[in-house]
Amino acid sequence: MKYDEDKVDDCTLALLYLVAHGREEGYGARAWKGFDWDTLNRLHNKGYLSNPVGKTKSVAMTEQGFLQAKSLFEKHFMNKTDTIAFPNFTAPAKKRWNQIPEGTRKDILDNVWCPHCRTGISMRLREGVIEERCLVLRGTCNLCKGEVARVIEPPE
Ligand SMILES: [Zn+2]
């Protein structure tokens, strides 16, 4: 049988999130390993799982594996409305934000510098305020969940 192994890996990793337990912040988690053996081995080779060989019924997920599983689970199996919390805007901030065309707003949120990841990421918007005439957007990095902000200069 020929199939897209990477897709199966992604979905299996996403489902491992559902059977994850013993989560330790920064140290990954454990997950029940009743999944396809070859897939688990590939996930091990990708650095998401410890070596799945062994008599225990669960496998250790690395920190990277747990975070990736969580993000894939949200991507594949959660409703968008459940994952994106309604952002809090002050009235003047909301007015300014709504003046920006929708496509541009999306571009802004998809290109935020994350000081933790040291790269451009997409931001999960939490709040918007006006500070010194600038629109300040605050939220979390979709990659590392760290705090990020984006300042938009006032229009001329
Ligand atoms: Zn980040």
Side-chain angles (χ1 to χ4, degrees):
M1 182 169 66
K2 251 191 117 182
Y3 57 89
D4 186 333
E5 292 181 344
D6 283 329
K7 256 186 201 161
V8 170
D9 290 359
D10 268 14
C11 283
T12 301
L13 187 59
L15 287 172
L16 279 164
Y17 177 68
L18 207 56
V19 294
H21 52 274
R23 164 75 176 142
E24 277 187 69
E25 187 77 34
Y27 296 95
R30 294 196 66 81
W32 303 114
K33 62 177 187 191
F35 289 95
D36 172 62
W37 196 246
D38 290 337
T39 310
L40 292 179
N41 271 320
R42 283 196 306 273
L43 290 171
H44 167 54
N45 290 334
K46 288 177 178 176
Y48 296 137
L49 301 178
S50 70
N51 194 333
V53 175
K55 285 204 170 97
T56 53
K57 286 181 175 153
S58 68
V59 63
M61 302 175 88
T62 62
E63 178 67 8
Q64 186 199 6
F66 178 82
L67 294 177
Q68 182 71 2
K70 183 170 184 281
S71 117
L72 286 167
F73 186 83
E74 286 176 351
K75 180 181 157 198
H76 290 296
F77 303 116
M78 302 248 312
N79 293 320
K80 283 215 160 57
T81 46
D82 291 337
T83 51
I84 299 165
F86 202 75
N88 271 321
F89 274 77
T90 60
K94 189 164 190 76
K95 194 176 162 210
R96 178 84 64 81
W97 184 235
N98 285 338
Q99 282 165 354
I100 301 170
E102 197 176 333
T104 312
R105 293 204 298 251
K106 195 181 173 304
D107 283 349
I108 289 171
L109 295 178
D110 281 345
N111 296 290
V112 178
W113 175 259
C114 175
H116 319 287
C117 298
R118 308 198 64 78
T119 183
I121 48 87
S122 75
M123 159 167 131
R124 180 161 157 187
L125 187 57
R126 186 183 65 241
E127 61 181 27
V129 291
I130 301 285
E131 283 175 12
E132 292 172 23
R133 299 187 60 237
C134 292
L135 172 59
V136 180
L137 304 170
R138 292 200 181 90
T140 48
C141 165
N142 274 330
L143 221 58
C144 72
K145 312 294 172 200
E147 191 70 19
V148 290
R150 174 81 192 248
V151 177
I152 296 162
E153 304 286 326
E156 291 308 310

